Structures are given as C-alpha cells and as structure tokens.
Amino acid sequence: DDDEDFDLFGSDDDGSEAEEIRAKIVADYKARKAQKGPLPAAKTTVVYHVKPWDIDTDLDELETKIRAIQMDGLVWGQVAKRTPVAFGIRHLEIYNVVEDEKVSVDDIVELIEGFEDHVQSVDIALMSKV
C-alpha cells in the first residue's frame, strides 16, 4: 500500500505553478511579436516568354500593350528582350515583380493572352521569390 502513494517524480502539486509559467512565456512571446510589426509582403519575380503569331507581329507595340496592364502589387521590369526562336521569329521576354497576396500570375497570363491578334502563347520561363 505504501508503494502506491509514493510518486517518483514528485508531482504532488496541482500544476498551477506550471500553468502560470506557461502563461507568462506565451504573453512575453505575443508582446515581442507585436513589437516587430507586420511582416514584409511576399514577392515573386516572374519572367514571361510571349510568343507572337508570326514574324510580322510588332513586338514594340505588344510590349506597350503588356506594360499597360496595371494592378496593385504589380511592377513591370524596365527591360524586355527580343529573343530568336526559329525561322526569324522572336519572342518577347518580359518580367515583373508581383506581391503574392495581391496578384495572381495566372491572371496576368490570361490578360496577356487576351491580345489574341498578337499573342500565340505565353510561357512562364522563371519564377523566383524575392
């Protein structure tokens, strides 16, 4: 009978002291987190390969139309390249930086593909977190 009353780990108390310590640690953590403020927005750099219908497509005009796509959280890069594909056709390589919470890359692709008279297809060549 004496063996049943013997506690090897000494946990005779009701745990209120442990709860107080835990509550203090949680409160300290929340206070430190609140002082830091909001995290910076997650951003992604995206490079698009925009393929024109034919050799006669004006890539300068197409670039102007693409850059006219504006939305909150979208910033177009300053440089766009004309890269040879085949048979004298060049595709437009253009990039932007998007805030992940505000802008969908799929929406941008759909908007670019909306220029049906100029654009055959759009590929995402590269995506990288900033």
Side-chain angles (χ1 to χ4, degrees):
D1 289 324
D2 290 336
D3 290 340
E4 291 177 17
D5 294 335
F6 184 70
D7 186 1
L8 292 175
F9 301 105
S11 60
D12 289 340
D13 61 287
D14 59 3
S16 62
E17 185 178 332
E19 289 295 323
E20 289 175 16
I21 292 171
R22 183 183 178 286
K24 183 180 183 316
I25 290 171
V26 170
D28 289 346
Y29 171 76
K30 288 182 179 179
R32 283 194 315 269
K33 189 174 179 180
Q35 287 177 349
K36 289 183 181 179
L39 295 174
K43 296 180 181 180
T44 303
T45 300
V46 185
V47 177
Y48 305 91
H49 286 175
V50 182
K51 296 180 180 89
W53 276 111
D54 57 30
I55 196 169
D56 296 327
T57 301
D58 184 355
L59 294 181
D60 292 330
E61 178 185 350
L62 179 57
E63 180 183 354
T64 302
K65 287 183 175 190
I66 292 171
R67 289 183 185 279
I69 299 171
Q70 297 293 319
M71 54 183 74
D72 187 33
L74 168 67
V75 178
W76 289 101
Q78 296 180 0
V79 179
K81 297 181 189 176
R82 282 90 174 130
T83 307
V85 179
F87 307 106
I89 295 178
R90 296 176 176 268
H91 70 248
L92 181 66
E93 186 174 303
I94 191 166
Y95 78 95
N96 63 25
V97 177
V98 297
E99 287 186 35
D100 298 343
E101 292 292 320
K102 295 181 179 179
V103 180
S104 166
V105 174
D106 291 335
D107 290 345
I108 295 173
V109 168
E110 287 180 20
L111 289 170
I112 295 172
E113 287 176 340
F115 303 124
E116 296 173 352
D117 294 340
H118 301 286
V119 177
Q120 177 184 7
S121 66
V122 178
D123 294 326
I124 297 174
L126 176 90
M127 287 181 75
S128 66
K129 294 288 182 186
V130 177

